[in-house]
Amino acid sequence: MDKLELAEQIAVLSGCLYLSWKIVKYVWSFLDVEEDPVTVLVTGAAGQIGYALVPMIARGEMLGTNQPVILHLLDIEPAAEALNAVKMELIDSAFPLLKGVVATTNVVEACTDVDIAIMVGGFPRKDGMERKDVMSKNVSIYKAQAAALEQHASSNCKVLLVANPANTNALILKEFAPSIPEDNITCLTRLDHNRALGQISERLNVHVNDVKNVIIWGNHSSTQYPDVNHATVSTDKGTKSVRELVNNDQWLNTEFVTTVQQRGAAIIKSRKSSSAFSAASSACDHIRDWVLGTPKGTWVSMGVYSDGSYGVQPGLIYSFPVTCEKGEWSIVQGLKIDEFSRAKMDATAEELIEEKALAYSCLN
Ligand SMILES: NC(=O)C1=CN([C@@H]2O[C@H](COP(=O)(O)OP(=O)(O)OC[C@H]3O[C@@H](n4cnc5c(N)ncnc54)[C@H](O)[C@@H]3O)[C@@H](O)[C@H]2O)C=CC1
Ligand SMILES: O=C([O-])CC(=O)C(=O)O
């Protein structure tokens, strides 16, 4: 057989394989094979974030529109009636993906067999309060719930801590649930990340989807550092850096940073209660990207257990830029850090070290 004949045969074979693959995919789509349901726990489910979050999960906004879910909803006894109303509304919504709802005030029942735990339950910050003020109320809740998750959740359960102080609650949960892999315990800074994208999109009058790769470093608090040094915008003329397009370092280094840092407080001031649907939506973003992967060339911010990357003390839950693949996150490495950023990253780490000490003193 000469080379030409061989090439022809390879081409025919490739064509046949491609056609067979298409036929298999076509037939598969008619078989309507359903995935096994994923069990998702939402604590504080009768609260305002919970109320916004559970329909998002049941609609497939967190795990995809082909993924059935079973919802476990936990709240405390005084909120039991309101919790039951959430269950009634879930049933009334007839969500096709929702395969079951357990609404309970029993922590063990709530944690049993959960694959994903979204910890929202706790005491929220009120106008004029700093996160430290809610520390003692919330860390003791997380110490107790750590034990229930460790004993009753699926062995590879992924945990997202939303309740404040989110980073330190996540750390307490990690320390009191030593058998849950440390990479499985994260906290929400995606709301801050999305707020930073929103501010840049408003400033440049571009769609928020065209802005990428901002970073939230550190604590989900007013010391967090929203960093745009590596952020880009997709334009008709290609990808441009945010710094180049904004062309105003003074604004980026001052007003932009404080607006993102203080956004939670600004919402509380205007609404008299803290952000709810934006927090719920960001929690969906966090889990979706963690489980299904970040889009190519894009990173997101997640509060994760520090391994010492970027000189951040190991043993803190600190927000880093991460990419996710096959259900695992990894910290984006090798980004250049200038002096301005270094000082801000250290300041927020310092606050986390203080919070950790305070949390332990509350537990004693
Ligand atoms: N990380 C983030 O980006 C954000 C965090 N938050 C935090 O999320 C938390 C929840 O906020 P909201 O829903 O607005 O508060 P909320 O007060 O409306 O709801 C909290 C719910 O938690 C319940 N709860 C209290 N103790 C509990 C326990 N031991 N177990 C289970 N449930 C319990 C309450 O009964 C209530 O239903 C707060 O800590 C808030 O500061 C809020 C916005 C953004
Ligand atoms: O500030 C708060 O307590 C609520 C919150 O975390 C936020 O909106 O970022």
Side-chain angles (χ1 to χ4, degrees), residues 44 47-49 75-76 120-122 124 141 145 162-164 188 191 220:
Q48 49 154 8
I49 295 177
D75 213 295
I76 46 174
V120 187
I141 294 176
Q145 294 187 353
V162 176
N164 283 315
L188 187 70
L191 175 56
H220 171 68

Side-chain angles (χ1 to χ4, degrees), residues 125 131 164 191-192 195 220 264-265 268 274-275:
R125 185 165 67 123
R131 277 175 187 71
N164 283 315
L191 175 56
D192 311 291
R195 285 168 173 163
H220 171 68
I268 293 175
S274 52
S275 311

